[in-house]
Amino acid sequence: MNVARLPPPAPSRRSLLALGWLNFFVSSLQAAFGPVAAAYLAAQGWTPKDIGIVLSIGGVASLVSQAPGGELLDAVKAKRVLVATGIGAVAFSTLIFYSWPSFLPVALAQVLRGITAGILGSGIVAITLGLVGHAGLADQIGQNLRFAATGGVAVTLTMALVAYSDAPWGMLVPIAL
């Protein structure tokens, strides 16, 4: 039986650029949260111990969600919808975090963020594979990482400028990014 080889996918420039910007914004969303969360909770009168506990809760949720998140991604055909839902869940958890800065709501928001982390990274890789195929995956992952690193630097510089200026609206910057 002779199996014909399919030509490699040829994604549009627009699709690859959208994928890059997705990496930029997801990275900036994730990079900004930890330091801003700790500073915000400290400003709300939280102890360093309690801040460490809730941030650790999110880390554990992220770790535990990796395998089930991968299984979910394998089972779902609409990976873009799943990634978009994950981004919405991160936004919702951030809203909970800033609206109700008490231990239980913040811990639940951290669990939601952690579970979402088990889907976002793998989902972006799955979308990348679907766009470029196996042959182009390594090069495109490098491109994704360049966008992600740029997003991390952009949000870090923005946070530094806001902190340096001592602007009262500084806590809104990570939400906007």
Side-chain angles (χ1 to χ4, degrees):
M1 178 174 185
N2 190 3
V3 176
R5 292 208 167 203
L6 296 174
S12 70
R13 183 171 169 83
R14 181 178 174 200
S15 293
L16 294 176
L17 189 59
L19 179 63
W21 284 109
L22 174 66
N23 279 280
F24 178 92
F25 287 110
V26 167
S27 171
S28 62
L29 183 69
Q30 292 172 332
F33 192 78
V36 172
Y40 178 74
L41 293 175
Q44 299 297 313
W46 283 48
T47 66
K49 175 184 164 191
D50 289 340
I51 294 170
I53 289 170
V54 294
L55 293 180
S56 295
I57 288 170
V60 170
S62 176
L63 181 64
V64 170
S65 72
Q66 294 298 312
E71 287 224 16
L72 178 62
L73 276 163
D74 287 344
V76 171
K77 295 282 186 205
K79 295 184 184 2
R80 289 180 292 174
V81 172
L82 192 58
V83 168
T85 302
I87 291 169
V90 169
F92 181 65
S93 70
T94 303
L95 179 65
I96 292 170
F97 191 93
Y98 288 108
S99 298
W100 299 285
S102 58
F103 191 85
L104 186 58
V106 169
L108 292 174
Q110 283 294 92
V111 168
L112 182 58
R113 286 180 62 80
I115 290 170
T116 303
I119 296 171
L120 282 179
S122 300
I124 291 172
V125 171
I127 292 169
T128 302
L129 179 60
L131 281 173
V132 301
H134 290 282
L137 185 61
D139 288 339
Q140 189 58 46
I141 292 290
Q143 185 69 15
N144 290 357
L145 290 174
R146 283 189 284 281
F147 270 90
T150 304
V153 168
V155 77
T156 301
L157 289 175
T158 303
M159 287 178 1
L161 289 172
V162 168
Y164 180 74
S165 71
D166 201 29
W169 43 268
M171 292 307 292
L172 298 178
V173 171
I175 295 171
L177 290 175

